Amino acid sequence: MEFNSKERFDDRAINGSYDVWLKNHPSALSSFDEIKRVAYEKQIVVFLDYDGTLSPIVNDPDQAYMSDAMRSAVRKVGKHFPTSIISGRSRDKVFQFVRLNNIYYAGSHGMDISTPSVSLYYGNHKHQAGTIDEKGNDMVNFCPAQDFLPRIQTIKVMLQEITRGIKGAMVEDNKFCLSVHFRCVNDEDNVGVLKEKVESAMKSYKDFRISEGKEVMEIRPNINWDKGLALRYLLGSLGFENSSEILPIYIGDDKTDEDAFKMIKNIGRGFPTVVSSTSKETEALYSLRDPIEVMSFLICLAKWEKDCTLRGG
């Protein structure tokens, strides 16, 4: 598919009704016949965010479980298409939530990737190392922020001290990045105090950056890496880096997913799909309202491929 450039993503809701917004970002479910037509005899590669996409957003990030029905849908998609989850969570944590062995995982916003082979694009990168998984399989771990780990732990202790005095705030260690959650901070003034303290404390760490998601502050190394580059890395590790036959599908709900949407548009074909029940600026071309619609879309995708296989084409 050919893409035209769109305006830069802004996490604020835009003016206008959701119905009007849908005209520019049509439902991937309603557009499924078009997706099937474009994808016919192409290689679909699926990429998924986790929180807000495969699981609902919840107050306690440790309780963000996906349903058994969603797990079944992802398993079926992974059976028919190369499938990866790219999450801001640590890779180990998102695996504990998903518990599927037929898909690939990238944690820390793509700064911690594990695949069976090196990426064609990053074959000589110093942070790409071979390892053996628990089943004895050869794997490659790619961690471009490896050198930052000691300072991340230092920053975590500092942030824990800051949040200790603000009821409802908490720090989540996602290995190569840190999340300061304030969804459960009831007093808006305390949210402002928290942000001010975190921003002030981080001024001493010039090689880190702060971004804001859905009631969370993300602190991560200021390196040239994001979910879009993680998507390209995964395509390379799966042997699709230079293939004209691939059609990437990326489904995500957060600001950090916009980099992946832009990468698909740069590739020039595929289906960048935002999960949102409100109108907002986005680089995505398609939309799904919530994790329930995501599950329905994944079920349709797996069923279509299964039917094609049974028909022999």
Side-chain angles (χ1 to χ4, degrees):
M1 300 179 67
E2 294 295 328
F3 297 136
N4 294 320
S5 61
K6 287 179 174 280
E7 293 183 357
R8 179 180 60 84
F9 171 77
D10 191 317
D11 204 29
R12 298 168 298 180
I14 59 174
N15 293 327
S17 71
Y18 186 72
D19 289 340
V20 173
W21 181 81
L22 277 176
K23 293 180 179 179
N24 294 319
H25 309 89
S27 165
L29 281 170
S30 301
S31 306
F32 197 71
D33 285 342
E34 175 194 353
I35 292 172
K36 290 191 296 184
R37 178 183 58 78
V38 174
Y40 183 68
E41 294 188 342
K42 300 287 188 180
Q43 173 63 65
I44 289 177
V45 186
V46 178
F47 300 92
L48 304 165
D49 179 33
Y50 183 75
D51 292 278
T53 299
L54 300 181
S55 73
I57 298 293
V58 295
N59 288 338
D60 184 350
D62 290 332
Q63 301 297 313
Y65 299 113
M66 67 191 302
S67 67
D68 290 339
M70 180 68 85
R71 182 173 294 103
S72 176
V74 176
R75 181 188 293 110
K76 290 175 181 176
V77 167
K79 180 179 178 181
H80 295 291
F81 308 103
T83 301
S84 303
I85 292 179
I86 306 179
S87 172
R89 304 288 194 122
S90 70
R91 181 166 54 83
D92 289 343
K93 186 174 293 183
V94 77
F95 178 78
Q96 290 169 10
F97 279 133
V98 178
R99 304 196 313 273
L100 292 175
N101 292 316
N102 66 333
I103 63 175
Y104 306 103
Y105 296 88
S108 304
H109 299 293
M111 290 182 287
D112 187 7
I113 303 176
S114 183
T115 58
S117 61
V118 299
S119 174
L120 299 177
Y121 193 81
Y122 296 94
N124 296 318
H125 199 286
K126 68 176 183 176
H127 293 310
Q128 188 168 243
T131 186
I132 304 293
D133 69 9
E134 64 277 2
K135 293 185 177 180
N137 300 314
D138 290 331
M139 299 293 290
V140 175
N141 289 345
F142 177 60
C143 306
Q146 184 73 37
D147 295 342
F148 290 84
L149 273 179
R151 273 179 295 166
I152 290 172
Q153 291 305 304
T154 299
I155 292 171
K156 182 179 77 169
V157 173
M158 176 187 70
L159 294 176
Q160 287 174 331
E161 185 61 31
I162 290 173
T163 58
R164 189 169 289 119
I166 300 177
K167 186 178 180 180
M170 65 166 291
V171 179
E172 182 181 12
D173 185 347
N174 288 311
K175 191 170 183 179
F176 293 106
C177 59
L178 299 166
S179 301
V180 180
H181 296 274
F182 52 87
R183 179 174 296 274
C184 294
V185 178
N186 295 323
D187 190 330
E188 192 63 32
D189 289 339
N190 281 343
V191 172
V193 170
L194 174 66
K195 291 181 179 181
E196 183 178 332
K197 286 186 175 182
V198 171
E199 290 169 358
S200 177
M202 289 305 300
K203 287 180 180 179
S204 301
Y205 297 89
K206 304 296 185 183
D207 47 358
F208 283 78
R209 55 176 163 158
I210 302 174
S211 59
E212 192 165 324
K214 295 181 177 179
E215 296 183 286
V216 62
M217 300 177 76
E218 302 277 4
I219 291 89
R220 49 180 162 158
N222 190 18
I223 62 174
N224 183 28
W225 198 259
D226 53 42
K227 287 188 174 183
L229 292 171
L231 182 152
R232 186 170 68 173
Y233 177 93
L234 285 160
L235 285 175
S237 70
L238 297 172
F240 299 130
E241 175 67 27
N242 298 311
S243 174
S244 61
E245 298 301 311
I246 63 114
L247 277 176
I249 295 175
Y250 188 103
I251 305 176
D253 75 307
D254 201 19
K255 191 172 184 178
T256 57
D257 297 310
E258 293 296 319
D259 294 311
F261 299 154
K262 286 187 281 189
M263 179 60 70
I264 291 179
K265 292 169 73 173
N266 289 338
I267 290 171
R269 57 193 177 278
F271 301 97
T273 304
V274 67
V275 182
S276 180
S277 59
T278 60
S279 57
K280 65 179 183 181
E281 293 184 13
T282 179
E283 295 284 348
L285 298 181
Y286 296 87
S287 66
L288 293 164
R289 289 184 65 93
D290 50 34
I292 297 298
E293 284 203 352
V294 172
M295 183 172 67
S296 297
F297 177 81
L298 295 178
I299 290 171
C300 288
L301 193 62
K303 184 178 184 301
W304 169 63
E305 178 61 17
K306 181 179 179 181
D307 291 345
C308 286
T309 302
L310 290 174
R311 290 194 303 267

